[in-house]
Amino acid sequence: MAIHVWDHRREYENERADILDAVDTVFRSDQLILGESVRGFEEEFAGYHGVAHCVGVDNGTNAVKLGLQALGIGPGDEVITVSNTAAPTVLAIDGAGATPVFVDVRPGTYLMDTDQVAGAITERTKCLVPVHLYGQCVDLAPLQELAARHGLKILEDCAQAHGAHGSNGRLAGTTGDAGAFSFYPTKVLGAYGDAGGVITSDDETEQNLRRLRYYGMEDRYYVVRTPGHNARLDEVHAEILRRKLRRLDDYIAARRAVAQRYAEGLKDTGLLLPEVAPGNDHVYYLYVVRHPERDEILKALREFDFSFRVSYPWPVHTMTGFAHLGYANGDLPVTELAANEIFSLPMYPSLPEDLQDKVITVLRDILARG
């Protein structure tokens, strides 16, 4: 039996009646764009986080891009982030007209090395974008201090950390000026297609976001600011997300149970297992392990029809599409070494225990061969 790194089909069978009812609810409503489902999800997602506002958008990339623009970030500005992230984080910064500036990550957690941020700040720096990666949060305390000292904004990239608590005890997305989320289907809270959102407690940022996602309009047909985008959250996805939000804590508990089973089954194998940063509350969007013979292990795993993922095999700063930023191999050594050694095990809430055990057994056998 093939084992996929992510598979929605078991979850769908378990939740099919509710998902189809969500679709039917929207199709029977009198508004298919920016209706009650979007408004309801925005209120409920903001409420889950204890913030004033959520603005739903069409995908996670635009959540970051519009979040930056709503905070006043644009051409001529520099934004400090990491290269060990999905390329859309950096594409969103570029799309806002700003220049990405990279710092390295910490070797154990692969999260932003906040000790390097002060040295990357210039007179053009206007925003910090910490990426809460793989299911846990960057330590935001040092970034808050730097932001206060230099007058910077903080936009948290929370695409991989729904429901995660940082070392400050706060949920991802609730410490900075705004938090950007992706609801891509694989996420801890995933729709059945592309979707995204931004949370904030600042009224002006919220108003800017609502204009930005709707052509720059406040009233229909009248543009009050540019740039404007067609970046609305779809009603169907919003209604599905409303239903799934009620189960978010259950999804997280199931992911942690899978992670615990992996941790117990793979200890003492030579794999470097996920490290949880002090005070963090990991939600295991991905279960990322590390081994210097990664490529040989993945080759052996293919014999068993396993689907494993490398997140991410190419650091953003090494991609030809970002050559204009002027980075070279060797500039971010921790990020670059990790890219050659990490891989992700299958991880999703409905992954059956027998398949978890099969992953463990096969991996242990491959690693024992040396």
Side-chain angles (χ1 to χ4, degrees):
M1 177 185 295
I3 301 178
H4 303 285
V5 72
W6 175 80
D7 194 328
H8 75 284
R9 290 171 294 181
R10 285 184 177 85
E11 178 181 284
Y12 176 66
E13 289 304 321
N14 292 335
E15 301 179 1
R16 183 173 182 270
D18 196 31
I19 299 302
L20 294 181
D21 183 66
V23 174
D24 191 61
T25 295
V26 172
F27 287 178
R28 290 179 182 275
S29 73
D30 63 352
Q31 191 168 358
L32 298 179
I33 301 292
L34 294 183
E36 179 55 35
S37 293
V38 169
R39 286 191 293 272
F41 173 69
E42 290 175 338
E43 291 173 2
E44 291 156 19
F45 196 67
Y48 180 91
H49 289 86
V51 298
H53 310 291
C54 170
V55 178
V57 297
D58 55 344
N59 57 63
T61 308
N62 273 338
V64 177
K65 178 182 174 181
L66 272 62
L68 289 168
Q69 292 176 327
L71 293 172
I73 310 304
D77 297 336
E78 291 180 349
V79 175
I80 298 175
T81 191
V82 293
S83 178
N84 183 42
T85 184
T89 302
V90 185
L91 288 166
I93 295 169
D94 183 74
T99 300
V101 175
F102 299 118
V103 296
D104 216 339
V105 297
R106 298 194 187 278
T109 62
Y110 317 114
L111 297 171
M112 174 184 276
D113 186 344
T114 55
D115 292 339
Q116 297 187 19
V117 175
I121 294 174
T122 72
E123 61 182 13
R124 294 177 57 195
T125 306
K126 294 297 185 291
C127 188
L128 311 176
V129 177
V131 179
H132 301 317
L133 197 69
Y134 302 150
Q136 64 173 330
C137 298
V138 176
D139 180 10
L140 294 179
L143 300 187
Q144 287 179 284
E145 190 276 329
L146 288 171
R149 189 193 318 167
H150 296 279
L152 309 178
K153 299 292 187 181
I154 298 177
L155 175 67
E156 301 174 55
D157 184 338
C158 309
Q160 300 187 12
H162 309 71
H165 290 82
S167 57
N168 61 3
R170 300 182 65 170
L171 282 166
T174 65
T175 300
D177 296 280
F181 290 81
S182 168
F183 304 116
Y184 187 76
T186 62
K187 304 302 184 186
V188 180
L189 179 63
Y192 276 68
D194 273 317
V198 185
I199 62 172
T200 184
S201 285
D202 182 74
D203 293 345
E204 182 179 358
T205 302
E206 181 245 355
Q207 291 166 7
N208 287 340
L209 284 163
R210 294 198 183 281
R211 297 182 189 115
L212 283 163
R213 76 167 179 191
Y214 192 64
Y215 308 110
M217 294 178 182
E218 212 161 63
D219 297 313
R220 184 173 292 186
Y221 305 128
Y222 191 90
V223 174
V224 296
R225 64 160 292 169
T226 58
H229 309 273
N230 179 2
R232 300 168 297 215
L233 175 60
D234 181 81
E235 277 287 290
V236 171
H237 293 315
E239 186 61 33
I240 292 172
L241 287 167
R242 291 183 77 179
R243 312 295 181 94
K244 295 187 72 176
L245 178 59
R246 300 163 194 163
R247 298 186 283 271
L248 176 56
D249 291 341
D250 293 334
Y251 298 149
I252 291 170
R255 287 175 177 273
R256 287 177 176 152
V258 176
Q260 182 63 30
R261 199 175 190 89
Y262 282 154
E264 292 172 357
L266 294 171
K267 61 186 177 183
D268 303 322
T269 60
L271 278 180
L272 183 62
L273 303 180
E275 177 183 316
V276 181
N280 265 15
D281 192 10
H282 208 309
V283 298
Y284 295 100
Y285 166 62
L286 297 176
Y287 193 88
V288 177
V289 298
R290 184 169 182 171
H291 196 283
E293 304 298 324
R294 188 268 313 277
D295 291 344
E296 287 75 13
I297 294 170
L298 292 181
K299 182 178 179 181
L301 285 167
R302 283 195 288 271
E303 300 175 16
F304 297 90
D305 202 15
F306 283 10
S307 170
F308 284 61
R309 178 180 297 156
V310 178
S311 298
Y312 297 94
W314 302 285
V316 174
H317 72 284
T318 68
M319 298 179 183
T320 57
F322 297 101
H324 63 284
L325 297 176
Y327 289 87
N329 287 320
D331 285 347
L332 301 173
V334 178
T335 294
E336 293 166 28
L337 181 60
N340 292 322
E341 297 183 350
I342 59 174
F343 62 104
S344 302
L345 276 56
M347 171 57 76
Y348 49 93
S350 57
L351 180 65
E353 288 186 356
D354 64 321
L355 296 189
Q356 297 171 42
D357 290 341
K358 185 175 181 181
V359 171
I360 292 167
T361 300
V362 169
L363 264 176
R364 289 190 69 91
D365 180 62
I366 290 171
L367 290 163
R369 298 178 203 165

